Amino acid sequence: MNLDQAMRERRSIRGFSDRPVPRALLEEIVALANRAPSSMNTQPWRLHVLTGAPLERVRRGNTERMLAGVPPSREIGDYAAYEGEHRKRQIEIAVQLFEAMGIERHDAEKRQDWVMRGFRQFDAPVSIVVCFDRSLLGNTIAHFDAGAMTFGLVLAAWARGLGAVINGQGIMQSPVVREVAEIPEDEVILTCVALGWPDEAFAANAVVSRRRPVEAFTRFIGFEE
C-alpha cells in the first residue's frame, strides 16, 4: 500500500477482532512513526504500549470510575464544547455511526453502551498511550509534534492491515492509566490509540467521515489563474 492509498482509505476503526498483534509488528510501526517531524528535532513524544492483563485493568478502572460518576481527569487542558460548523460536523459523524450500528435516538441503553466502548478502548487488543515530556507542558508545539507522530502511527498501522482510532476517551481517567502503565511523573498523558485487526462484521467500521472540498478551507495566494 502506498502513502496516497493509505491516506485516502484510512478510517477510524472502532471494532476489533481478538487476534493478538505481534510485538515485532508494533515495533515496526513505532519505528516508522518515530520519523515524524518535530520542532527543531525535539522529539517530545513518549509511548506506552499496553496489551493483555494491564490493558484489561485500564478498561476496568476507566469503566468503574465513569459509572461511579467520577469526573474525567485529563492532564492537558480540556476543550470547550464545539460550536458552529465544528458542532455540525461532530453531530454528522455521530449520526453516521449510530445509523450504521442501528442505535435509535431514544435508545438510551445502546447510546450509553456506545459511550462506554470508548472508555474500554473499544475493546482493542492494544492501546498505545501517547505522552510528552512534562518540561514542555506550557509549549503547545509539543502537542502539535506528538499529534504528527500519532498520525504516523495510525497510517503505518493501516498500511499493514491494522485498524486504529485516536481515542481521547481512553485517557479521560488518566490516574488509572498512569498507575497501571507506571508512567513516570515527568511525562504528560496526551491521548491514546486503540489498535488491532479490524472486525469486518462490525458495522461502524465501514463508516467513512465526510470531508470538505479543498476550496472550502484552502486559499492559494500569488498563483496565476
Side-chain angles (χ1 to χ4, degrees):
M1 183 182 295
N2 64 31
L3 179 61
D4 286 11
Q5 182 183 359
M7 294 186 73
R8 280 196 307 268
E9 296 180 0
R10 183 216 64 84
R11 58 190 183 274
S12 292
I13 297 300
R14 298 175 174 86
F16 301 88
S17 77
D18 57 5
R19 176 184 169 191
V21 181
R23 175 171 172 168
L25 181 55
L26 291 166
E27 290 177 349
E28 182 180 313
I29 289 166
V30 169
L32 268 179
N34 192 45
R35 296 302 307 170
S38 64
S39 176
M40 294 174 282
N41 198 35
T42 50
Q43 303 177 50
W45 46 78
R46 299 287 183 269
L47 303 181
H48 304 269
V49 185
L50 282 69
T51 194
L55 181 51
E56 290 302 323
R57 286 173 58 199
V58 170
R59 288 195 233 279
R60 185 169 61 251
N62 282 351
T63 300
E64 288 175 353
R65 285 169 66 101
M66 294 307 298
L67 290 176
V70 178
S73 178
R74 294 164 59 97
E75 297 188 355
I76 59 170
D78 207 351
Y79 49 80
Y82 291 121
E83 298 179 355
E85 292 299 315
H86 306 99
R87 176 61 175 163
K88 288 179 182 178
R89 287 193 284 273
Q90 181 187 25
I91 292 172
E92 181 181 60
I93 189 60
V95 169
Q96 285 182 262
L97 291 167
F98 283 8
E99 286 180 348
M101 294 298 294
I103 301 174
E104 300 291 342
R105 186 179 182 86
H106 62 273
D107 194 332
E109 183 177 347
K110 284 187 177 180
R111 290 169 74 93
Q112 171 77 352
D113 179 69
W114 179 261
V115 170
M116 295 310 299
R117 288 180 60 83
F119 297 115
R120 298 198 312 266
Q121 318 270 338
F122 292 96
D123 299 323
V126 174
S127 177
I128 302 178
V129 182
V130 180
C131 302
F132 64 90
D133 296 331
R134 188 173 295 278
S135 62
L136 299 174
L137 180 59
N139 185 341
T140 55
I141 196 67
H143 299 206
F144 181 92
D145 292 344
M149 186 280 305
T150 303
F151 187 39
L153 279 174
V154 170
L155 282 180
W158 187 265
R160 286 156 179 76
L162 289 160
V165 59
I166 300 171
N167 177 30
Q169 282 178 284
I171 54 84
M172 285 179 70
Q173 293 290 348
S174 287
V176 172
V177 180
R178 180 175 292 280
E179 179 182 356
V180 173
E182 299 181 349
I183 296 174
E185 289 298 328
D186 63 356
E187 298 179 19
V188 177
I189 298 173
L190 178 63
T191 192
C192 69
V193 179
L195 184 147
W197 305 103
D199 177 357
E200 301 298 338
F202 191 76
N205 285 347
V207 171
V208 178
S209 59
R210 303 183 183 102
R211 299 300 168 111
R212 295 169 290 166
V214 170
E215 61 270 18
F217 61 89
T218 308
R219 296 174 61 231
F220 293 94
I221 302 164
F223 293 87
E224 296 182 3
E225 294 295 333

